[in-house]
Amino acid sequence: MDEKYNPEPIEEKWQARWAETNMFKVAVDNTREKYYVLEMFPYPSGKIHIGHVRNYTIGDVVARYKTMQGFNVLHPMGWDAFGMPAENAAIANNTHPAKWTYDNIDAMRHQLKQLGFSYDWDRELATCTPEYYRWEQWLFLKMYERKMVYRKESFVNWCEPCQTVLANEQVEAGMCWRCGKPVRQQKLQQWFFRITDVVEDLLVYCDKLPGWPDKVTTMQKNWIGKSIGAEIRFPIENTEESIPVFTTRQDTVFGATFLCLAPEHPLVSKLSGGTSQEKPVAEFVERMALQDRSGKAVETHEKEGVFTGAYCINPMSGKRMPIWTANFALMEYGTGAVMSVPAHDQRDFDFAKKYGMEIIVVVNPPDAPLTAETMGEAYSDPGIMINSGAFDGMQNKDSLEAIAAHLDKHGLGRKTVSYRLRDWGISRQRYWGAPIPMIHCDACGIVPVPETDLPILLPEDADLLDGGRSPLPNLDSFSKTICPKCGGSGARRETDTMDTFVESSWYYQRYCSPDHDTGIFDRKAVDYWMPVDQYIGGVEHAILHLLYSRYFTRVLNQLGLVKFKEPFTRLLTQGMVCKETHTCTQHGYLFPDESRQEDGLMVCNTCGNTVSIGRVEKMSKSKKNVVDPHLLLQKYGADTTRLFCLFAAPPERDLEWSEQGVDGSARFLNRVWRLAFLWMDRIRSVEPYTQSPESLSGELRDAYQKTHQTIQKVTSDIEERFHFNTAISAIMELVNTVYGIHTNSESENVDGVMRFALETVALLLSPFVPHFSEELWQELGHTESTFRSPWPSYRKDALVQNEITIVFQVNGKLRSRCVVAADTDDKTLEQTALNDERIKQFIRDKPVRKVIVVKQKLVNIVV
């Protein structure tokens, strides 16, 4: 054994050994209990970042630990490879998205292997390959057959320069996140998945996911946004039409004095057409089309609107109400129409005051009546109904049910439920995505592609057009086709591609049988491996990815392909990796290597100006507060990098990057190595001591008991809480204890106890620092890998402490300590403390007023 720990050759050696022996390859084995651990697969951006390292190291610890416990562990890796970022990078680097993506996959695979992760690389998949998206297209066709898919015209966020639809999250202050140009609302034909068909089931099961963090299920509940209320129909004056409005406050309907439509509502132009309001309404609608219309953005906009020139009738009061179009009304909520009650809604109150609309009080506070003329703000608390006909005098909360029943009885509306969640629009006017397997025929309409024609291949030799526009609509070799229904030659393929969230919504199922070529997956393999036992990823994916994955699993369940509805039994959302920012007044944000220490100050390498140290925040390329894992691997090795990521914070908390912390992790591994080196010649050929602690004494007994206590502690911390930081801390404490045994000790059983302690350290560390542990394990004479070795067990009789340390205080201040038998009674502890020589010096001739004994902890003498 070398005297000095040198990580580079050790890590290269064991990575090669694992690859040669297919160490991490697994297969279905019905005689063993399975465990499926999965980290959210990465987008192949070209380089892994330290957030990747933390995320995948957490998963690797779980995979290795469960394997050592005897589980048949599935731990795969792949690539979320389609999407707009690849196109943007290809444009910036003057290359093709396919080449850029596949080159990045090669580079990132190499980096991940350098970190020693226990992936079964035979199961690797990339969502941009025909072998993968073929089955996504097949599933689309099956969903279309079951009417789970439909096409309709819909308002979307449209970026003209990019020629594509943007998700709300991709619109920043009304601008495209990629090109920075204004985004407008535009109607396009889009494909949708009917996620709303299972919305109630998705909501109900939020309370049936005990292995998920409460914050994630709460976020999903809020996104689903269930509201119980009533739909009220407001007849349009002088027409046979009415406007349905959803409200949760039907108790205030008698106070509704105007109605607002979303600018995108089809009635807006219809109602204003041919009136004096036609022009101002059209100008308003056009201006709104250039605003960010997401719910979050609308909340921050100043509330404004325009009268359409039309009126409706309040079905309960009979009052004539002007119909406006307003920027706070959203098509994505309710029916796109809002009944406005200014007396009891602050937004409506402000709008009414701004535009001089009538205010009618219909709910009075219990203690003092309101008057519209003197109100300074809306009243939204409980109260007594007034100006509400037959409902006057009722508590407003009691009237909710009564008014809903009245509406239903008289055909004016109905009690109903509304959801914020809308059907999932999956069309993208981009090139780098999975083609949608549909055909447009002038004679037959929309026709699905025959299953025998799958996959519909994305032409990877096509070049992006100016501005990154998709070449597919203009690429005759792709778009021109024959109608499979009538045989007509003038048919055209659908040239939209699928939202990349579609690929990431079912990839975990494909991992179970990635090479299966006669179906979307091998059902027997899925029955064995699924659902995922432990899923790991960032909380930023709490809504879209996780919600869509839950939906897709329900689709597969309804199609009879899987037997379960929830894909992930347990979910861990790891915290972010954070670091302070460095800023130069002349050069802005600086990377860590762009500044240096000089005379106690941090200065810019380029100009020499003093660098400002900013607050600690999430690592990001834009703020340059990033650490390159490649540099860490070169300087410290994979195991030290892994150890710091695990030790610095619990997985669910943010991790603050610290170079000193990385150095500390390196020192610990060197310390363990040094301990093993000092004892190796003595213990290499002896058997570990595993008997009762009764025949041991003193420091040997302490070390032996500490070893068993550490096994219990580390097992508990991994198994119950994933608190790897406290597990590692416990191993550090054990190492400190074992260091107390001198190498020249001639005590009976010392070699056996030391062997047992060092074997235990190697096995307990193996999920965290696998290369280091493998080398240590081999030096101890073992030929089997730690990965194939059983997790250590502890003796319960070795956990019992015969002696404990009691703290002695005088007036609450620590003055002495004493080691006593664990079963010492309180009276003896009190007398021992009073007889302690150091305690006597602090008491002297002062009278003892009280002695407080906290059993097995301390004695406090009050004088």
Side-chain angles (χ1 to χ4, degrees):
M1 181 178 186
D2 293 337
E3 184 174 357
K4 186 178 180 183
Y5 168 53
N6 185 2
E8 184 176 357
I10 291 173
E11 291 174 359
E12 289 178 354
K13 165 188 169 181
W14 287 105
Q15 287 165 18
R17 185 82 55 87
W18 296 332
E20 290 165 5
T21 58
N22 287 318
M23 183 64 69
F24 310 124
K25 186 176 178 62
V26 294
V28 170
D29 184 348
N30 290 307
T31 66
R32 297 173 63 195
E33 186 176 356
K34 68 91 181 180
Y35 191 90
Y36 186 175
V37 57
L38 180 65
E39 305 95 62
M40 295 178 186
F41 64 169
Y43 175 75
S45 58
K47 281 187 178 182
I48 62 170
H49 53 68
I50 206 68
H52 286 134
V53 176
R54 187 187 191 200
N55 185 18
Y56 304 146
T57 301
I58 290 168
D60 196 52
V61 171
V62 177
R64 288 175 176 276
Y65 167 73
K66 287 294 184 180
T67 299
M68 294 175 72
Q69 281 198 317
F71 288 88
N72 191 23
V73 175
L74 175 58
H75 188 210
M77 174 51 68
W79 313 98
D80 190 8
F82 269 143
M84 202 169 174
E87 294 190 10
N88 297 337
I91 294 168
N93 295 286
N94 194 28
T95 187
H96 192 279
K99 176 174 171 42
W100 188 85
T101 298
Y102 291 125
D103 286 350
N104 287 349
I105 286 173
D106 290 341
M108 291 179 70
R109 184 192 304 111
H110 175 71
Q111 290 177 304
L112 294 178
K113 287 185 176 181
Q114 282 186 305
L115 283 154
F117 297 136
S118 58
Y119 296 128
D120 181 353
W121 285 105
D122 288 346
R123 294 175 183 268
E124 180 185 11
L125 58 80
T127 59
C128 62
T129 62
E131 294 79 12
Y132 184 84
Y133 66 72
R134 167 192 179 182
W135 297 109
E136 189 169 300
Q137 293 171 342
W138 177 85
L139 187 59
F140 184 101
L141 295 177
K142 293 301 175 187
M143 293 172 70
Y144 184 76
E145 288 174 10
R146 296 281 290 266
K147 302 190 185 308
M148 297 175 176
V149 181
Y150 64 95
R151 191 171 186 253
K152 71 169 184 177
E153 196 172 52
S154 172
F155 276 98
V156 294
N157 299 314
W158 177 256
C159 176
E160 185 64 29
C162 294
Q163 287 287 294
T164 193
V165 172
L166 300 178
N168 287 336
E169 293 75 17
Q170 295 172 321
V171 180
E172 300 172 351
M175 304 294 180
C176 171
W177 70 288
R178 189 192 76 82
C179 69
K181 296 296 191 295
V183 173
R184 63 177 293 109
Q185 294 292 298
Q186 182 166 308
K187 269 191 174 182
L188 282 181
Q189 288 287 340
Q190 301 279 291
W191 289 99
F192 289 84
F193 287 162
R194 294 186 190 273
I195 191 173
T196 53
D197 282 355
V198 295
V199 63
E200 185 64 22
D201 196 53
L202 288 168
L203 181 64
V204 168
Y205 270 78
C206 284
D207 293 323
K208 299 179 181 181
L209 297 169
W212 285 41
D214 289 341
K215 64 180 178 182
V216 174
T217 53
T218 299
M219 290 168 74
Q220 291 213 355
K221 288 177 183 178
N222 292 339
W223 189 260
I224 291 169
K226 182 178 182 178
S227 298
I228 298 173
E231 182 185 278
I232 306 175
R233 292 187 284 275
F234 289 78
I236 301 173
E237 189 177 60
N238 301 323
T239 74
E240 297 298 316
E241 290 186 75
S242 62
I243 302 174
V245 172
F246 174 78
T247 179
T248 59
R249 291 295 308 272
Q250 61 266 30
D251 57 315
T252 65
V253 63
F254 285 90
T257 59
F258 59 99
L259 187 144
C260 292
L261 300 174
E264 305 87 359
H265 200 292
L267 279 175
V268 170
S269 59
K270 182 178 179 180
L271 294 175
S272 61
T275 73
S276 60
Q277 291 299 106
E278 183 174 7
K279 184 178 179 182
V281 166
E283 291 173 348
F284 177 78
V285 169
E286 174 63 20
R287 189 156 52 85
M288 292 302 103
L290 296 174
Q291 283 191 0
D292 184 351
R293 295 286 293 150
S294 65
K296 186 175 181 180
V298 166
E299 288 177 7
T300 64
H301 293 161
E302 180 185 352
K303 306 304 179 276
E304 56 178 324
V306 175
F307 176 46
T308 65
Y311 291 85
C312 63
I313 305 301
N314 186 317
M316 295 295 281
S317 69
K319 189 172 182 62
R320 188 174 186 243
M321 296 166 49
I323 302 173
W324 285 60
T325 178
N327 65 343
F328 58 78
L330 298 170
M331 281 302 296
E332 65 188 44
Y333 182 76
T335 63
V338 177
M339 75 169 199
S340 293
V341 186
H344 304 293
D345 181 278
Q346 190 60 44
R347 179 197 62 200
D348 296 344
F349 182 88
D350 295 339
F351 195 86
K353 286 290 188 181
K354 180 176 181 177
Y355 292 105
M357 242 86 82
E358 184 179 9
I359 299 175
I360 299 175
V361 177
V362 293
V363 179
N364 254 338
D367 49 354
L370 297 171
T371 59
E373 296 74 22
T374 60
M375 290 180 72
E377 61 182 4
Y379 178 75
S380 57
D381 291 334
I384 309 299
M385 302 283 287
I386 63 168
N387 299 324
S388 300
F391 303 97
D392 282 356
M394 292 182 70
Q395 293 285 337
N396 73 305
K397 288 187 175 180
D398 296 336
S399 73
L400 290 167
E401 192 68 34
I403 290 177
H406 179 89
L407 291 166
D408 187 58
K409 180 179 179 181
H410 295 280
L412 305 174
R414 61 191 176 94
K415 185 177 180 180
T416 190
V417 174
S418 180
Y419 298 91
R420 179 189 177 202
L421 182 68
R422 289 293 188 254
D423 282 339
W424 176 9
I426 60 113
S427 293
R428 296 295 180 266
Q429 291 68 44
R430 305 298 302 183
Y431 160 68
W432 192 238
I436 294 174
M438 304 300 283
I439 291 171
H440 301 277
C441 174
D442 290 339
C444 305
I446 297 174
V447 182
V449 169
E451 286 183 29
T452 53
D453 290 354
L454 298 181
I456 302 303
L457 294 172
L458 181 72
E460 291 192 3
D461 56 349
D463 293 322
L464 296 174
L465 303 181
D466 291 344
R469 291 183 295 115
S470 172
L472 299 181
N474 301 322
L475 195 66
D476 288 348
S477 61
F478 175 81
S479 61
K480 286 187 176 181
T481 190
I482 295 172
C483 175
K485 189 172 182 180
C486 70
S489 60
R492 297 185 67 82
R493 292 195 188 281
E494 174 64 68
T495 57
D496 284 357
T497 54
M498 291 193 225
D499 179 7
T500 54
F501 276 113
V502 178
E503 281 88 63
S504 61
S505 293
W506 69 281
Y507 76 104
Y508 45 88
Q509 314 261 15
R510 184 67 182 172
Y511 275 142
C512 298
S513 52
D515 298 324
H516 192 65
D517 61 0
T518 58
I520 187 169
F521 42 64
D522 182 335
R523 295 193 196 182
K524 289 182 178 179
V526 167
D527 287 346
Y528 177 76
W529 290 114
M530 287 294 294
V532 175
D533 295 280
Q534 183 65 62
Y535 200 36
I536 302 167
V539 73
E540 66 270 20
H541 302 292
I543 297 173
L544 296 182
H545 164 57
L546 290 172
L547 191 63
Y548 292 156
S549 295
R550 296 180 63 214
Y551 164 64
F552 245 64
T553 304
R554 280 160 172 76
V555 169
L556 294 169
N557 177 266
Q558 290 177 17
L559 293 174
L561 296 171
V562 301
K563 299 175 182 178
F564 48 89
K565 293 201 291 187
E566 289 295 341
F568 313 121
T569 303
R570 294 180 65 183
L571 173 69
L572 172 66
T573 53
Q574 89 278 359
M576 298 179 294
V577 181
C578 305
K579 191 180 186 300
E580 63 194 10
T581 57
H582 289 187
T583 312
C584 171
T585 54
Q586 186 172 339
H587 296 98
Y589 288 114
L590 303 176
F591 286 111
D593 60 355
E594 292 179 333
S595 60
R596 66 183 185 278
Q597 284 279 355
E598 193 172 279
D599 298 329
L601 295 174
M602 191 69 72
V603 298
C604 175
N605 289 345
T606 305
C607 64
N609 288 342
T610 301
V611 170
S612 298
I613 309 299
R615 64 187 179 90
V616 174
E617 50 188 304
K618 178 186 176 181
M619 285 187 180
S620 69
K621 292 179 182 177
S622 62
K623 295 187 177 179
K624 299 186 177 181
N625 61 333
V626 293
V627 175
D628 186 350
H630 177 68
L631 299 177
L632 290 172
L633 294 177
Q634 283 185 322
K635 183 176 180 180
Y636 295 101
D639 283 337
T640 294
T641 304
R642 290 169 57 120
L643 189 66
F644 171 76
C645 288
L646 297 165
F647 181 60
E652 71 279 5
R653 301 284 297 276
D654 289 349
L655 183 156
E656 183 176 337
W657 187 260
S658 163
E659 194 74 26
Q660 293 80 9
V662 184
D663 285 334
S665 295
R667 285 196 302 271
F668 170 66
L669 291 183
N670 277 285
R671 195 160 187 263
V672 176
W673 187 270
R674 175 72 176 166
L675 177 67
F677 175 78
L678 292 173
W679 281 93
M680 194 58 69
D681 288 342
R682 284 190 61 170
I683 67 175
R684 186 176 277 117
S685 59
V686 303
E687 290 295 316
Y689 182 87
T690 57
Q691 305 304 309
S692 167
E694 292 302 319
S695 58
L696 302 174
S697 61
E699 61 184 12
L700 269 190
R701 181 172 183 143
D702 291 343
Y704 187 66
Q705 289 189 300
K706 183 68 172 178
T707 304
H708 285 280
Q709 291 161 6
T710 303
I711 295 171
Q712 182 194 43
K713 169 69 173 168
V714 173
T715 304
S716 173
D717 283 347
I718 297 177
E719 186 71 41
E720 297 174 14
R721 305 180 300 162
F722 287 172
H723 278 199
F724 308 131
N725 58 322
T726 54
I728 294 167
S729 180
I731 300 170
M732 290 177 172
E733 289 181 18
L734 172 60
V735 171
N736 289 340
T737 299
V738 175
Y739 254 106
I741 301 176
H742 297 291
T743 53
N744 59 2
S745 171
E746 296 299 329
S747 301
E748 186 181 1
N749 293 317
V750 63
D751 292 346
V753 169
M754 285 301 300
R755 168 129 193 152
F756 176 68
L758 280 169
E759 283 192 349
T760 299
V761 167
L763 291 174
L764 294 182
L765 279 175
S766 61
F768 308 109
V769 287
H771 315 84
F772 179 94
S773 299
E774 290 274 35
E775 189 71 13
L776 195 58
W777 191 244
Q778 186 184 67
E779 289 289 348
L780 286 164
H782 295 283
T783 56
E784 183 65 274
S785 166
T786 57
F787 190 73
R788 298 297 181 205
S789 301
W791 186 253
S793 58
Y794 55 85
R795 293 180 61 106
K796 290 185 178 180
D797 61 351
L799 302 179
V800 179
Q801 289 183 281
N802 295 315
E803 295 180 331
I804 55 175
T805 300
I806 300 294
V807 169
F808 294 158
Q809 298 176 339
V810 176
N811 292 338
K813 294 184 178 179
L814 174 64
R815 297 305 186 192
S816 186
R817 289 186 177 89
C818 182
V819 177
V820 300
D823 58 355
T824 304
D825 60 68
D826 290 356
K827 192 66 179 174
T828 304
L829 286 175
E830 178 181 333
Q831 202 58 49
T832 303
L834 291 170
N835 291 334
D836 186 273
E837 292 299 324
R838 294 202 65 207
I839 294 299
K840 288 179 180 179
Q841 293 177 16
F842 286 99
I843 296 177
R844 297 187 182 274
D845 55 354
K846 299 172 187 173
V848 175
R849 298 166 55 197
K850 188 192 301 184
V851 178
I852 303 169
V853 179
V854 179
K855 194 167 186 64
Q856 293 193 327
K857 286 190 177 181
L858 63 86
V859 178
N860 183 26
I861 301 167
V862 182
V863 295

